[in-house]
Every structure is written in structure tokens, then in C-alpha cells.
């Protein structure tokens, strides 16, 4: 080996079959110093997962889940990206670089990543305003998500939407009006059925939204018309500052679809969420109509950045969840203790993730704001250019589709 | 003479009610594009609360003509979601009074989405149904929503008067890739109009955003939409006998408003009266007057532009009270004479 070796090793995963440990020499070239082969890691393992409470269902999801090393690394990475992205958003908000509403998802990563792993990319998904995580799983990049939060032209909605209005293919936001996304989601499901492509729609809402009248209207129509819709209630125990006990006469959200079968799922265990989602998807695709999943989860942050989140719950409670039920830790522990990944390997992923988030934040803070010429654009689709009245009668602004 | 007679016979004019014109429009568009479908209360098996969708369910079936439960907010949201996912729904409100239950979906989910998504998510949807005063249905069932919907960017708002308007505008609305509100009028459903050759074609559309001069004139401009257009024409006929020639403009579209046509007319007549069935405060007429004040036509006015509107009260039930709650032909004539200092 050349004489001067810098101390920090890094890893190359060659298709998860062989792990090579490199070090950089003084001349900048890389040298292999060690390697572990496929045979060193367990390629897959079976885990026991919690039984789901069932409503109007004879059977539930399986009680065991198979996790491959590849899947595990991918879930870990995605959840870590999501976690770091939200924490970076917290930082930028406190620096006043992000303004307005900012509802963070940290703590709930297993829900978004678990759901996505249980459906197809060609399926559809809609959620409420705590949407950054879903924007990511549905194909948005960290860069364009962060740049949307900072209101720049490189944002996923060119800076026109902000935190609550991010869209991607087969992802319908990001919706600011509590509960309004639920009928929308059923409408997407109607389109799926109408067009006969065997696609379904995952339609998310929170424990707070669960008391909205329009959701019950939607349950009725979805069941009546057998729409391929998975209703998912992300129960994080608090609707803004109101605990579930103070808001709902029945906190069995998985039963509130009444005639719609339901299941209550441990939303902190990604394997639980994945298996339940697969089960629900199968139910929909077989033409049985809608199904309801309640994911029991937790948000570490307050309702939004303007809510410290400790006036209606204790720091002890938050700390307890972090230490006992953190979704990323749960997955990490499973993988390490089953020799599916090494500590160093996961640390390396953490380093990569941190860099990715830093890069994205750098982009999000340096990208220019949208040009003023864009102010009146995107009013109508497929329309010739038109004039829009500005703030005074002489201000005639241009609008293009 | 024989040639003229032949010409006369080859121009096949038919008389069609507004109801049938709307029905034809939907029938033709359902046939033309399989993504188009209709949903609402009683639209299918009942043939429509006002029989506007008569025969459509029989022809197109359950998949395309959908009876909904009484859940406006729910089914309007479902319609918007379907539009987002690639279909082209026509969402009927039995009357626009009930649209208040669903107005959040119309404005926040439909109208604003293309803008919020910076062009990623179009919403090709039509919301239609009867709007404004009817006969004896009292306060909760008689409100005009033209001003409310026309207030919002991201929406197009149409208000047909004649059968030709109804057919051409509804077809345009269905073909438009954006949220369009079509404000029909229950009292007009049964009124028959001549449909020109052109209007009988399956591809007949009326451009959105363009007003029509129903009757040219030199002395005063009357601008109206929906049922009031007919009232203006009736008033114009009476006034013509006294030598006053009114130019009657049928707005057809409330948003975007065809200010150019109104301005050009004022530059000719020097007088403006806007006529509407809805309430005066912050109404369609208020917007027209404000725009005229701000534009080049102001300098051509020989008298202040004024509005003839519904009375500023909830609609009463008793016939004599109801009749006096909306503009009558005599109110229009009176206003013209006042404006012209006659």
C-alpha cells in the first residue's frame, strides 16, 4: 500500500453482493483495503410483525414479513433522507429562509416509505399538508422539494405552491384544506376504475381530518360504487393541539368507515405498514371496493413550525417514542442484529445522505426566486396568452399557460 | 325568386328549447369523447331533476351517467379528483344554491390547482346547473352566484341565454381543459329558440370570453346575461316605438368579461346600463361599471353608467313580492329614459 493513507474509509456497494472498503491515498487515488462478500451478509430474513386489529375482515395481513438486504438498505436510506430533509427544513425555517406554513413529517417515515413499498409506481396517492415525505416517495427530488419550500424557481412547483402544494406524477399533493383531499382521492380512484387500468388510489388523512363530514360522504360513495381506494388515517395522536381523546367520540379510526372493512396498523414498523398496504391493495384490486387502514404513528415536531409541540404533550412522551419506537432505529436494529448490514455501512449511508441534503439545501438557498414575469402564468391550461389585471388599472400583466 | 325559395328551404331552421339544447350538447360531447361523464343528483334514472339529462342514462349507462347520493361536497370533490386523474367530468348541482356546500372543492381544489402546481395539474371539469331566481321557490333556492364564482381567478364562468348559447357554450365548456362553471336558468329551460344551421352541427362551439350583440342600436348600451337578455330585448322593442334604439349585448361569458365589446358599444352609444338578476352589491354590474370607469370608454359616456339589478333582499315567496324583487321590463325602460334624460 502507498505510504500515506487518509484515515476515512468509504464503501462501494457493488450490487449488494460485495462490499469493498476503500481508502484514499495522498495522490487522491483509491485503494481497496478490505472487502466483505455477499456471503458475509444475510441476504434476507423473516421477521415477526404485530397483528393488526381488524374490522369487518375475516383475515388480516400476514404475521411475518420477509425483508431482503437490498430492500432494507433502500428503506433505510429513503427514511434517512426523509428524516434529514425535514430536519434541514426545520433549520431553514428557523433561519427564516422558509416562510409560511411548514408541517414536518419526522417520526412518520415508516408510513410513507412503507406505503410506497406496498403499491406500484403506477398507482396513485393523495395526502394533506404534511406532504414532504410523500412528495419524495412519489418521485420528487430533495432538491426540488427544498427549493419549493424556499420559494425558488427550481422548486417542484416553480415556487408557486410552497410546502402544502407539491405535485408529481400520480401524486395529487399536498392539499391545504383539511379533509378536502379525501373526496379528491376517491375521484382519482373512480378514474382508475373507469379507465380499467387496475390502478388504485391511496387516500391519506389525519386523525384530525377524520371528523370531517366530507370524509363520511366519501366513504359512502366509495363503498357504493366499489371504488379502488385505500383510505389511510395517519393517527399521530394529535390534531394540531387537540389530542384524539378530546376530538373524537370514537378513536377507533379504523372502524369509522363503518361498512368499509378496516385494519389498525403499527405505523412505526415499516414492515407492518408494507404488509398491511399490500393486503389492502390486493383487496382493492380484486374488486372488493374500498378499505381503510389506520396507521398508529407519531410526529416529533409540533403541528407546524409555529407550534413547539410541548404545550399539549410532554417532552417525556416525545422522548419515549424516540427511544423505543423510532422507525429508522427499529429497522436499523433489525438489520444489524440479523447481520443484514454492518454498522459502518449504515453510517456510510448516513454520511451520503447528509451530503445529499446539504447539496439540496445549498441549491434551495442559492437558486433564484421565480421571475416576476411568472406571476400571472399558469392560470389556465392549454390557453392562448391573456391579459391579467395588475394592482392598478394601468398594470396589464401577461399570462401564459 | 325560385332560387331564393330554394335557399330558404335549404336553410333548415329548427326550434329547440334551452333544455334540449343542453341535452344535445352533453349527448354530443359524451359521444365524442369517452372520458366525458355526468354525475349529480337524479341525473341518471330520473332523467334529471329538470329533465336536462333526459335519455342520457338510457343511452350511455351507469358508467357514464352517475346518480349520486345527496352529498355535494363529497361528489364535487370526487368529480374534481376524477378530472385530475384524466377524466372530463360534468358535475351537476341541482341548483347552484346547493353548490355552497361544495364551494371549497370548486374554488380551492379545482380553480386554484393549475396555478399552485405551476402547470403540472390541469383540472378539466364543468360544474353546471340552474342559477338565480326561479318561480316561488323562496330565499334559499333563488340566489344568483354569478358574482361569487366570477370573483375567482382560475375559473371560467358562463351564463347562456338562448338555446344556441346553451348548446355552444356547454360544448365549449366540456372541451375546455379548465374548470368552467355554467350558470343555467330554470325559467329558460322551457323556452324555445331557433337554432341556425351552424348551431345544429355537432362541432358547433361558442368561444368562451366573447359577448354577442343581440340587437344593434345607437342610443344606449344594455349589457345583460341569462334571462335578463330577453327582458332587455323586450324593453328595446318597446323603446324602439318611441325612437330609442338600444344596443343589447348578451355577455354569454361572465368570466373572462368581454370588456372590449362593451367599450366599443359605449363609444357608439355614449350610455351604459347593465342589467342582472342578482343582487347589486359587488355584482356583475358593479364590475362592469368599474372597468368602464378605468378604461377608454369613460370619456365617451354622456351620463353615469348605471345598474339595474335584483332588489337587495332575500327572495320572498308571495308572487307579488317575488315579481317585484327582480328587474321587470318596465324597470329597464324607466332606467333607459332616466339615463337619456327623457
Amino acid at each position: 500500500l502507498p505510504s500515506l493513507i487518509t484515515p476515512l474509509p468509504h464503501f462501494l456497494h457493488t450490487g449488494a453482493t460485495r462490499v469493498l472498503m476503500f481508502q484514499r491515498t495522498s495522490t487522491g487515488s483509491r485503494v481497496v483495503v478490505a472487502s466483505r462478500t455477499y456471503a458475509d451478509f444475510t441476504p434476507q430474513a423473516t421477521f415477526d410483525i404485530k397483528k393488526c386489529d381488524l374490522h369487518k375482515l375475516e383475515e388480516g395481513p400476514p404475521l411475518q414479513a420477509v425483508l431482503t438486504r437490498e430492500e432494507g438498505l433502500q428503506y433505510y436510506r429513503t427514511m434517512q433522507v426523509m428524516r434529514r430533509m425535514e430536519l434541514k427544513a426545520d433549520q431553514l425555517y428557523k433561519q427564516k429562509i422558509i416562510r409560511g406554513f411548514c408541517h414536518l413529517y419526522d417520526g412518520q417515515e415508516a408510513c410513507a416509505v412503507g406505503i410506497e413499498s406496498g403499491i406500484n409506481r403506477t398507482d396513485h396517492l393523495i395526502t394533506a399538508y404534511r406532504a414532504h415525505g410523500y412528495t419524495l416517495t412519489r418521485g420528487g427530488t430533495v432538491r426540488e422539494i427544498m427549493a419549493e419550500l424556499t420559494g425558488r424557481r427550481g422548486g417542484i412547483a416553480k415556487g408557486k405552491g410552497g410546502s402544502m402544494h407539491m405535485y408529481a406524477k400520480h401524486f395529487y399533493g399536498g392539499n391545504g384544506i383539511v379533509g378536502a383531499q379525501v373526496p379528491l382521492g376517491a375521484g382519482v380512484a373512480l378514474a382508475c376504475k373507469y379507465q380499467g387500468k387496475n390502478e388504485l388510489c391511496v387516500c391519506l388523512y389525519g386523525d384530525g381530518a377524520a371528523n370531517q363530514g366530507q370524509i363520511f360522504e366519501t366513504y359512502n360513495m366509495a363503498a357504493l360504487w366499489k371504488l379502488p381506494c385505500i383510505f389511510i388515517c395517519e393517527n399521530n395522536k394529535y390534531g394540531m393541539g387537540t389530542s384524539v381523546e378530546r376530538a373524537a367520540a370514537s378513536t377507533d379510526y379504523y372502524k369509522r368507515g363503518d361498512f368499509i372493512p378496516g385494519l389498525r396498523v403499527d405505523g412505526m414498523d415499516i414492515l407492518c405498514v408494507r404488509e398491511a398496504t399490500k393486503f389492502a391493495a390486493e383487496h382493492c384490486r380484486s374488486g372488493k371496493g374500498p378499505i381503510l387502514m389506520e396507521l398508529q404513528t407519531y410526529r416529533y415536531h409540533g403541528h407546524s413550525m409555529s407550534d413547539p409541540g410541548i404545550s399539549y404533550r410532554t417532552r417525556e412522551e416525545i422522548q419515549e417514542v424516540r427511544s423505543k419506537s423510532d422507525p429508522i432505529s427499529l429497522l436499523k436494529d433489525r438489520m444489524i442484529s440479523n447481520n443484514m448490514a454492518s454498522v459502518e455501512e449504515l453510517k456510510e449511508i448516513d454520511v451520503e445522505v447528509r451530503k445529499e441534503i446539504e447539496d439540496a439545501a445549498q441549491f434551495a438557498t442559492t437558486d433564484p426566486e421565480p421571475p416576476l414575469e411568472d406571476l400571472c402564468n399558469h392560470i389556465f391550461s392549454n390557453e392562448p396568452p391573456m391579459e391579467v389585471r395588475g394592482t392598478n388599472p394601468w398594470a396589464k400583466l401577461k399570462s401564459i399557460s | 325568386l325560385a332560387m331564393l325559395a330554394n335557399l330558404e328551404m335549404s336553410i333548415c331552421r329548427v326550434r329547440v328549447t334551452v333544455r334540449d339544447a343542453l341535452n344535445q350538447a352533453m349527448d354530443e360531447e359524451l359521444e365524442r369523447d369517452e372520458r366525458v361523464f355526468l354525475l349529480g343528483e337524479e341525473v341518471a334514472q330520473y332523467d334529471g331533476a329538470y329533465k336536462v339529462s333526459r335519455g342520457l342514462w338510457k343511452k350511455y349507462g351507469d358508467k357514464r351517467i352517475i346518480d349520486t347520493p345527496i352529498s355535494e361536497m363529497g361528489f364535487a370533490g370526487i368529480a374534481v379528483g376524477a378530472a385530475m386523474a384524466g377524466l372530463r367530468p360534468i358535475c351537476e348541482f341541482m341548483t347552484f344554491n346547493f353548490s355552497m356546500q361544495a364551494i371549497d372543492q370548486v374554488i380551492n381544489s379545482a380553480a386554484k390547482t393549475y396555478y399552485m402546481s405551476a402547470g403540472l395539474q390541469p383540472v378539466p371539469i364543468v360544474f353546471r346547473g340552474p342559477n338565480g331566481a326561479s318561480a316561488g321557490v323562496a330565499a334559499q333556492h333563488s340566489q344568483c352566484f354569478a358574482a361569487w364564482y366570477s370573483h375567482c381567478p382560475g375559473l371560467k364562468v358562463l351564463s347562456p341565454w338562448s338555446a344556441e348559447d346553451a348548446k355552444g357554450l356547454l360544448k365549449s365548456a366540456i372541451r375546455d381543459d379548465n374548470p368552467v362553471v355554467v350558470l343555467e336558468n330554470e325559467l329558460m329551460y322551457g323556452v324555445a329558440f331557433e337554432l341556425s344551421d351552424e348551431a345544429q352541427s355537432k362541432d358547433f362551439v361558442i368561444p368562451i370570453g366573447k359577448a354577442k350583440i343581440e340587437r344593434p342600436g345607437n342610443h344606449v348600451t344594455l349589457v345583460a346575461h341569462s334571462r335578463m337578455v330577453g327582458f332587455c330585448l323586450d324593453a328595446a322593442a318597446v323603446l324602439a316605438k318611441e325612437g330609442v334604439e338600444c344596443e343589447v349585448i348578451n355577455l354569454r361569458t361572465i368570466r373572462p368579461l368581454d370588456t372590449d365589446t362593451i367599450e366599443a358599444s359605449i363609444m357608439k352609444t355614449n350610455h351604459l346600463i347593465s342589467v342582472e338578476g342578482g343582487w347589486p352589491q359587488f355584482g356583475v354590474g358593479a364590475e362592469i361599471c368599474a372597468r368602464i370607469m378605468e378604461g377608454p370608454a369613460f370619456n365617451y359616456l354622456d351620463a353615469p353608467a348605471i345598474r339595474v339589478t335584483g332588489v337587495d333582499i332575500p327572495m320572498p315567496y308571495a308572487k307579488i313580492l317575488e315579481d317585484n324583487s327582480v328587474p321587470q321590463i318596465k324597470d329597464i325602460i324607466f332606467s333607459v329614459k332616466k339615463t337619456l334624460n327623457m
Side-chain angles (χ1 to χ4, degrees):
Chain A
L1 291 171
S3 50
L4 288 166
I5 301 172
T6 55
L8 291 167
H10 49 279
F11 297 87
L12 174 67
H13 297 259
T14 55
T17 56
R18 174 186 284 265
V19 181
L20 303 172
M21 182 164 140
F22 287 88
Q23 287 197 320
R24 257 197 211 288
T25 67
S26 54
T27 55
S29 58
R30 294 194 300 172
V31 189
V32 176
V33 296
S35 78
R36 288 178 72 179
T37 64
Y38 182 77
D40 292 342
F41 288 120
T42 316
Q44 72 177 46
T46 305
F47 297 96
D48 290 333
I49 53 175
K50 244 185 243 166
K51 185 172 193 291
C52 296
D53 294 318
L54 302 177
H55 170 71
K56 301 225 164 121
L57 281 167
E58 292 296 310
E59 298 171 338
L63 298 175
Q64 291 191 318
V66 174
L67 177 71
T68 69
R69 181 179 131 78
E70 239 166 54
E71 285 168 345
L73 289 172
Q74 188 224 315
Y75 300 159
Y76 179 84
R77 190 176 203 289
T78 311
M79 287 202 286
Q80 199 64 293
V81 168
M82 208 177 282
R83 174 68 59 91
R84 303 256 112 222
M85 178 179 77
E86 295 295 81
L87 294 178
K88 177 57 75 176
D90 168 280
Q91 218 176 62
L92 293 175
Y93 194 94
K94 285 169 176 153
Q95 294 173 291
K96 297 196 197 299
I97 299 171
I98 296 176
R99 35 189 284 282
F101 288 130
C102 191
H103 307 87
L104 299 177
Y105 197 67
D106 50 311
Q108 300 186 212
E109 295 85 358
C111 296
V113 181
I115 290 168
E116 189 64 37
S117 68
I119 58 174
N120 303 325
R121 198 41 161 245
T122 47
D123 288 321
H124 307 253
L125 191 142
I126 190 170
T127 187
Y129 47 76
R130 201 174 300 282
H132 310 158
Y134 290 100
T135 315
L136 187 71
T137 52
R138 287 263 99 195
T141 65
V142 184
R143 281 182 129 212
E144 55 193 1
I145 293 171
M146 300 216 74
E148 187 61 33
L149 293 175
T150 56
R152 308 302 165 97
R153 64 180 71 182
I156 200 168
K158 301 192 170 78
K160 305 279 270 282
S163 170
M164 299 186 293
H165 307 296
M166 302 192 190
Y167 302 81
K169 190 154 194 280
H170 291 207
F171 174 57
Y172 306 86
N175 288 273
I177 307 295
V178 173
Q181 77 277 11
V182 178
L184 294 180
V188 173
L190 188 145
C192 288
K193 184 171 180 178
Y194 190 106
Q195 292 167 326
K197 289 191 252 180
N198 198 25
E199 293 165 4
L200 53 80
C201 185
V202 174
C203 185
L204 291 129
Y205 57 94
D207 50 277
N211 300 314
Q212 271 270 312
Q214 57 187 315
I215 292 184
F216 295 89
E217 294 187 8
T218 307
Y219 289 156
N220 183 37
M221 286 182 274
L224 207 52
W225 302 332
K226 289 198 156 48
L227 301 181
C229 197
I230 305 176
F231 294 110
I232 301 186
C233 177
E234 283 180 296
N235 177 3
N236 59 18
K237 299 167 100 180
Y238 299 94
M240 202 154 150
T242 306
S243 68
V244 293
E245 297 79 39
R246 292 205 304 125
S250 161
T251 55
D252 290 334
Y253 296 102
Y254 72 112
K255 289 185 184 173
R256 293 193 51 197
D258 188 8
F259 35 77
I260 296 180
L263 48 157
R264 184 159 54 190
V265 182
D266 178 0
M268 302 308 263
D269 177 353
I270 192 178
L271 293 179
C272 238
V273 178
R274 185 186 76 182
E275 294 309 309
T277 306
K278 282 185 179 165
F279 175 85
E282 160 62 31
H283 177 102
C284 283
R285 282 191 232 279
S286 65
K288 296 198 185 99
I291 189 167
L292 205 162
M293 272 166 58
E294 177 189 338
L295 300 180
Q296 294 190 302
T297 183
Y298 199 84
R299 53 166 163 82
Y300 294 142
H301 269 84
H303 162 73
S304 71
M305 285 306 297
S306 57
D307 168 28
I310 46 170
S311 61
Y312 47 86
R313 53 186 194 173
T314 61
R315 286 187 211 269
E316 288 74 43
E317 180 187 284
I318 305 169
Q319 195 37 47
E320 168 119 15
V321 176
R322 260 194 215 280
S323 56
K324 298 212 178 111
S325 318
D326 183 275
I328 301 175
S329 301
L330 285 180
L331 177 64
K332 179 176 176 182
D333 292 345
R334 267 183 172 147
M335 291 191 72
I336 304 280
S337 56
N338 283 274
N339 196 33
M340 294 177 81
S342 71
V343 173
E344 296 79 24
E345 191 178 16
L346 296 182
K347 273 211 180 86
E348 181 60 24
I349 293 178
D350 292 350
V351 168
E352 276 169 31
V353 168
R354 210 160 284 141
K355 183 165 194 314
E356 185 182 336
I357 303 303
E358 271 313 314
D359 278 350
Q362 178 65 12
F363 174 70
T365 48
T366 54
D367 199 43
E369 288 190 287
L372 274 183
E373 293 73 54
D374 203 35
L375 181 69
C376 297
N377 293 338
H378 311 115
I379 297 283
F380 291 129
S381 171
N382 200 15
E383 189 89 352
M386 61 183 207
E387 206 176 78
V388 170
R389 187 188 200 272
T391 57
N392 62 72
W394 299 273
K396 297 185 206 290
L397 307 175
K398 188 148 174 237
S399 171
I400 55 178
S401 271
Chain B
L1 275 170
M3 266 172 64
L4 278 172
N6 280 337
L7 250 154
E8 190 66 56
M9 276 163 61
S10 70
I11 300 167
C12 180
R13 291 192 184 278
V14 288
R15 281 183 71 77
V16 173
T17 60
V18 170
R19 173 184 288 110
D20 289 342
L22 292 166
N23 187 285
Q24 275 176 35
M26 287 197 284
D27 193 354
E28 288 169 8
E29 295 307 301
L30 281 158
E31 195 175 87
R32 176 180 180 269
D33 186 341
E34 59 180 22
R35 299 169 300 173
V36 176
F37 71 100
L38 171 67
L39 87 169
E41 293 156 12
E42 311 299 345
V43 297
Q45 299 189 20
Y46 196 82
D47 271 338
Y50 300 98
K51 308 301 178 208
V52 177
S53 55
R54 177 169 38 212
L56 295 180
W57 175 67
K58 200 163 171 202
K59 184 171 176 184
Y60 294 101
D62 287 330
K63 180 180 172 180
R64 306 200 53 208
I65 314 291
I66 303 175
D67 274 336
T68 65
I70 308 174
S71 308
E72 275 78 6
M73 196 161 183
F75 73 69
I78 283 176
V80 175
M84 289 178 175
L87 299 184
R88 302 185 75 90
I90 305 168
C91 176
E92 178 178 302
F93 291 120
M94 197 182 280
T95 78
F96 267 94
N97 300 285
F98 313 143
S99 75
M100 279 201 282
Q101 306 269 319
I103 200 163
D104 174 66
Q105 296 289 0
V106 179
I107 306 303
N108 280 320
S109 300
K112 296 178 185 172
T113 294
Y114 194 70
Y115 186 86
M116 291 193 295
S117 67
L120 287 174
Q121 181 63 73
V123 186
I125 188 168
V126 174
F127 297 100
R128 52 158 290 274
N131 174 63
S134 181
V137 294
Q140 293 179 341
H141 289 73
S142 305
Q143 189 170 332
C144 175
F145 288 85
W148 283 28
Y149 286 115
S150 299
H151 188 58
C152 303
L155 275 187
K156 299 186 185 181
V157 181
L158 312 180
S159 188
W161 166 62
S162 63
E164 183 171 305
D165 287 353
K167 184 160 185 211
L169 287 175
L170 184 53
K171 282 169 80 76
S172 285
I174 295 167
R175 295 185 191 194
D176 201 301
D177 290 339
N178 298 288
V180 184
V181 169
V182 182
L183 303 171
E184 300 160 8
N185 187 292
E186 200 228 316
L187 295 171
M188 294 303 297
Y189 281 156
V191 181
F193 293 82
E194 248 175 28
L195 260 195
S196 66
D197 240 6
E198 198 204 346
Q200 289 170 56
S201 147
K202 283 192 175 169
D203 279 311
F204 171 68
V205 290
I206 289 178
I208 292 176
K210 203 85 191 66
K212 182 184 177 202
I213 298 175
E214 296 286 351
R215 182 193 191 283
N218 287 311
H219 300 132
V220 61
T221 300
L222 302 177
V223 185
H225 67 99
S226 188
R227 190 157 170 257
M228 290 296 135
V229 174
F231 282 35
C232 287
L233 289 170
D234 291 344
V238 173
L239 286 161
K241 296 193 190 117
E242 296 180 52
V244 177
E245 294 299 328
C246 303
E247 179 143 293
V248 177
I249 299 178
N250 172 6
L251 280 174
R252 289 178 155 180
T253 302
I254 317 290
R255 183 173 184 115
L257 203 57
D258 185 359
T259 322
D260 288 348
T261 300
I262 304 172
E263 281 174 342
S265 179
I266 292 168
M267 290 181 192
K268 190 173 64 165
T269 68
N270 311 121
H271 299 86
L272 173 67
I273 300 178
S274 130
V275 183
E276 66 195 291
W279 295 317
Q281 196 157 326
F282 305 106
V284 176
E287 175 64 20
I288 293 172
C289 289
R291 289 193 186 203
I292 297 308
M293 288 282 281
E294 291 178 345
F298 171 73
N299 290 310
Y300 290 76
L301 284 172
D302 287 346
I306 61 138
R307 308 162 291 164
V308 173
T309 70
V311 178
D312 203 13
I313 52 172
M315 182 69 72
Y317 167 68
K319 187 162 198 318
I320 187 172
L321 297 180
E322 185 180 59
D323 287 347
N324 282 279
S325 300
V326 289
Q328 300 183 31
I329 294 163
K330 65 174 170 62
D331 299 317
I332 303 172
I333 295 170
F334 173 81
S335 301
V336 168
K337 289 185 174 174
K338 282 288 264 190
T339 302
L340 294 177
N341 237 331
M342 284 165 68

